[in-house]
Amino acid sequence: MIDKNILEFYKQTSSYTDLGLYRDFAKNLPDDIVELCQLQRNQIIHPIAFKNKEIRNSKNCFWGDMTQISDMRLLREDDILPNSISMLAELMRRDNAYSHNREAKDKIFVTCRGQALLLAAILKAKGIPARVRSGFAEYPCNNGYYWDHWITEYYNSKDNKWILVDADCCSNDNINFDIYNIPQDKFLTVERAWLEFREKGITSLKLGHAYYGSGEDKLIEILVTTLFYDFHCLMNDEIIYVHHPKYLKDKDFKLDKNDLEELDELARLMLDPDKNFNQLNDIWNNKAKFRIMTGGTIN
């Protein structure tokens, strides 16, 4: 059994997951995780849709009639809708019927982080322990690369375990597992990837990142950035894409032996965040450089 204090911690909200006056609205959304995810999925278009000309000109794709959307509209709204309350408020502004029938023109355009964040916020509003996780997955693109991917992890009190669920993935018809109960081997946690990289000198996996792209020369940036995304998520601080640890950016990610060993320790603890919760919390509270971010208007 997981310590009740840990479960209470993951019921708490951050400035990213608190829904404010929309909390009661969220409580009344479906309790069934599959129904909840499917409903949420019909409110959001992943910006990747705009990169595919066939989808962009489709009147009848998964996301609806894409021709309704003007070329003048923003193609990615993560920067202006960085938290769950802003996403939900904007959805209600465009069409206050939170339903499966939302037209494409009234959907918001956010990536997997937004989907994971909104689902976690809704679950927390329902009193369910939930946390956002940032790692890597091959299944969203199915092109041999493990791209950075954000999903939600919630605590199933009936089975007394954490369950990984993906509210975002919808365009890959070749998924052969339950995305509402994702097997551990289908989501590569960043701490496992980091330790493989450190122990073997180079990861055998092809990693990609929306911010850094892909390639062996980008591995350090990809892994360290994602490691801090996930660490902050585990501490209920779901930072946005443009936020990076300032001390690492100042070094241009040229890590010395001490830097690497510190991150090794962090990754090992993150392998079992519940067992090591107190140690992770201690790092969070006492290693200020791990919390000081830069990016966007923060410098």
Side-chain angles (χ1 to χ4, degrees):
M1 292 286 292
I2 296 177
D3 188 316
K4 289 183 179 179
N5 291 325
I6 295 176
L7 295 180
E8 288 301 315
F9 177 81
Y10 288 115
K11 288 181 184 179
Q12 296 173 21
T13 59
S14 68
S15 58
Y16 295 107
T17 54
D18 193 85
L19 287 173
L21 296 176
Y22 290 98
R23 195 174 297 117
D24 287 339
F25 173 84
K27 285 181 183 178
N28 292 319
L29 291 174
D31 291 327
D32 179 76
I33 193 67
V34 176
E35 188 177 353
L36 182 63
C37 287
Q38 290 177 345
L39 179 59
Q40 180 177 309
R41 200 172 292 137
N42 281 316
Q43 315 308 307
I44 296 171
I45 298 174
H46 194 292
I48 197 172
F50 292 92
K51 295 182 179 180
N52 186 313
K53 199 169 187 179
E54 183 178 344
I55 294 175
R56 183 72 181 84
N57 295 319
S58 173
K59 290 189 175 183
N60 188 30
C61 71
F62 175 86
W63 290 287
D65 183 358
M66 299 292 284
T67 64
Q68 294 179 345
I69 303 166
S70 167
D71 289 338
M72 299 301 292
R73 287 283 295 277
L74 291 173
L75 303 186
R76 185 184 293 265
E77 295 178 317
D78 296 77
D79 290 354
I80 63 172
L81 303 173
N83 52 25
S84 55
I85 193 170
S86 62
M87 286 187 281
L88 200 49
E90 181 61 10
L91 283 167
M92 295 298 99
R93 186 187 74 83
R94 294 180 187 182
D95 181 353
N96 62 12
Y98 193 94
S99 75
H100 290 286
N101 298 321
R102 180 178 291 269
E103 293 189 60
K105 64 181 178 61
D106 296 322
K107 296 181 181 184
I108 60 174
F109 315 117
V110 295
T111 58
C112 54
R113 176 191 173 273
Q115 287 274 27
L117 188 70
L118 183 56
L119 179 60
I122 292 169
L123 292 170
K124 286 173 183 284
K126 291 175 174 290
I128 299 170
R131 55 198 184 194
V132 176
R133 301 303 305 267
S134 178
F136 302 93
E138 190 270 342
Y139 66 84
C141 296
N142 199 31
N143 63 0
Y145 271 81
Y146 280 71
W147 286 92
D148 69 303
H149 193 48
W150 301 56
I151 60 177
T152 309
E153 192 171 35
Y154 75 97
Y155 190 73
N156 185 311
S157 58
K158 180 180 178 181
D159 297 329
N160 294 317
K161 67 177 184 179
W162 289 99
I163 293 178
L164 295 171
V165 58
D166 191 343
D168 176 56
C169 193
C170 55
S171 59
N172 183 359
D173 295 329
N174 298 315
I175 295 176
N176 58 2
F177 58 88
D178 186 358
I179 62 171
Y180 307 107
N181 188 355
I182 300 173
Q184 294 292 327
D185 64 341
K186 298 299 182 182
F187 183 75
L188 177 63
T189 62
V190 62
E191 50 271 19
R192 280 165 43 212
W194 171 262
L195 292 171
E196 179 182 333
F197 169 75
R198 287 282 289 145
E199 291 166 4
K200 296 182 180 179
I202 187 168
T203 181
S204 59
L205 297 169
K206 295 179 178 179
L207 299 182
H209 192 280
Y211 190 86
Y212 291 106
S214 60
E216 292 182 10
D217 60 323
K218 297 293 185 181
L219 279 176
I220 283 288
E221 287 93 335
I222 290 171
L223 286 166
V224 173
T225 299
T226 309
L227 188 70
F228 274 95
Y229 287 161
D230 199 41
F231 176 52
H232 278 246
C233 286
L234 287 172
M235 295 292 102
N236 275 341
D237 183 47
E238 304 84 358
I239 53 179
I240 61 178
Y241 290 127
V242 296
H243 291 169
H244 304 83
K246 187 177 189 304
Y247 85 100
L248 293 174
K249 287 286 281 187
D250 288 347
K251 290 185 172 191
D252 195 27
F253 289 92
K254 301 296 190 296
L255 309 186
D256 59 30
K257 183 174 182 289
N258 183 63
D259 293 326
L260 293 169
E261 289 178 350
E262 279 187 325
L263 295 178
D264 290 347
E265 177 191 9
L266 180 64
R268 291 190 187 101
L269 292 172
M270 289 168 61
L271 285 172
D272 193 337
D274 297 323
K275 177 182 177 181
N276 301 317
F277 180 80
N278 290 336
Q279 294 98 311
L280 289 169
N281 200 48
D282 185 63
I283 291 171
W284 179 253
N285 288 322
N286 294 296
K287 285 196 175 179
K289 68 179 184 179
F290 282 12
R291 295 179 62 175
I292 298 173
M293 299 284 110
T294 186
T297 58
I298 303 173
N299 53 47

